[in-house]
Amino acid sequence: MKRRFHKVCTSVKEQSYISYAKIASAAGFSDMNLIIIKATSPDDLPVHEKYIQDLLKLFSISPSSCHSFAISFTRRFGTTRSWRVALKSLILLHRLLRSVQANSPLWTELLWTRSNGLVSLYPCHFKDATSSSSTCSISYTKFVSSYAQLLDEALNCVDLDSKKLENQQHQEEKNETFQEKMNEMGEILEILPQLQSIIDRVIDCYPIGVATKSFIVQSAMKHIIRDSFVCYTKFRREIVVVLENLFEMSYRNCIAAFNIYKKSAVQTNKLCEFYEWCKAKGLCGYYEYPLLEPIPHIHIKALESFLSGMWQLTESSSSSWSDQESSSAFTEEDGRQQQHMIKGIVDEEKPLIDLEGEYDDDVSWETVLESSVSFCHAYNQGDLFSSNGYQQEIMDYEHSFDSMLEIATYKSTAYNPFSQQSYESSYNGRFDHNPLYPWGL
C-alpha cells in the first residue's frame, strides 16, 4: 500500500511538471528549466533530438546559460523518484557532453556544481518509487546508479586528457628529446588507468531483470557501448606505445606498465563477454564492435620473468648503496667491503672483448678482428653455455618473450576496419567527436 501511494504521488507530480511546461511554452515562455522538463518526460519514448538542438543553440548564443543548465539539471535529477525521468536526464547530459567541446563552459559549470555538492552522480542517491514491485525498482535503480557513476568517472578524465593533448601539440613543434619522451610515457601511464576505470564502469552498466526489456534502457546502452568503442581503441593505441618504449623507461614506470598490461588481460576477457551479450540483444551493429584480442596468461608470465631478471641487479646495487649512505660513519672494514663490491660490479659489466687491456698498442686491427670472429664462432658452436642445457633455456626464453611482444602489440601494423576513424564516421556527422575527451564525449 505504501509503495502504491508513492507511485501515485510521483506520477501526479511528474505530470504536473509536464503540464506546467506545456502551458508556459504555449504562452511564449521558454527557459532552460522548461526545456529540460519537456525533454525528460516520464514516458517510454527516447529523448527527442529537438530539445538537444535547442540547448546547444542556447549554449552557443549565451555561454552563461550553461550555469542555468547545471542548476536545472541538478534540480531535475536530484529531486525525481521516477526512473524514467532520472534515466532521461542522464541521457540528455550524455548527449550534450558528447556534442560540446572540452573547453566549453558546460564542463566548468558541471564540475563546479559537483564540487559544491549540489549534485551527486557518485554516490548516486536515486531510488525508484514508480515501479510496481520491489524487484523492478531494484533493477531500474541499479542501472541508473551505474550510468550516473560512469558519467561521473568521465568528468574526472577531462582535465587530465586536455593537458596531455596540449603537451602533445607543444612537443610536435620541436624535436623531442629523450627526457621529454619519458615524460610523455609517464603521462600516458597516468591516463591508461583512467581509461581502464571507464571500461570497468561501462561493464558495470550491465542491466538486469526487467531493465533489459526497457526501450529507454536500450537507448542508453547504445550510447554507452559506442563510447566504449572509442575508449578501448584509445587504450589499445596507447598501450602499444608503452610496450614499444618499455626497455627505455625507468624501473618504476616499467612496473606500472606491467600492472596495467596485466589488468588489461583480465579486463579484455570481461569486455569480450559484455560485447557478446550486447550483440545478442541487438545493441549496435556487428560491424561497429572493435576487434578484441585477448592476452594469453603465458605472455604475462614471460614479461614478469623478464622484468624480474632485468632489474634484479639494479635493485640489489641500489639497496646496498642506500644502506651505506644512510649510516653516519664507515669503518675501515666497511670501506674494504665496499671497494670489493664495486670492483665485482665493474668486473661483471666488462665487455666481452676488451680492446684496451687485452691487446697492446702494437697489435694490428686484423688480429683483433680475427679474435672477435673466432669468439663469435665459438659462441655459435655452444662452447660457452654447454653445461646443463643452459644455452637452450636462454634461447627458449628469448623466443617466448619475442613472441609475447609480437602479440602484445595487438598487431598494430595489420589493417583493422574497426579503428577509431572508421567508428567516428558511423555518427554520420550528427555528433561531433571530441578529441580532448578520452572516450568520445
Side-chain angles (χ1 to χ4, degrees), residues 355-402:
L355 298 180
E356 297 180 358
E358 204 171 302
Y359 301 99
D360 297 332
D361 296 336
D362 297 336
V363 179
S364 62
W365 64 270
E366 292 87 352
T367 306
V368 178
L369 179 60
E370 182 179 358
S371 300
S372 63
V373 173
S374 302
F375 177 82
C376 296
H377 179 71
Y379 179 81
N380 293 331
Q381 293 297 327
D383 295 333
L384 295 177
F385 304 101
S386 59
S387 59
N388 299 327
Y390 186 65
Q391 180 186 7
Q392 184 65 31
E393 182 180 353
I394 291 182
M395 292 176 63
D396 295 340
Y397 176 76
E398 292 179 351
H399 176 71
S400 62
F401 183 72
D402 292 340

Side-chain angles (χ1 to χ4, degrees), residues 80-93:
T80 185
R81 291 296 177 265
S82 173
W83 69 267
R84 293 179 176 86
V85 175
L87 184 54
K88 282 189 173 184
S89 299
L90 295 177
I91 294 175
L92 179 65
L93 177 63

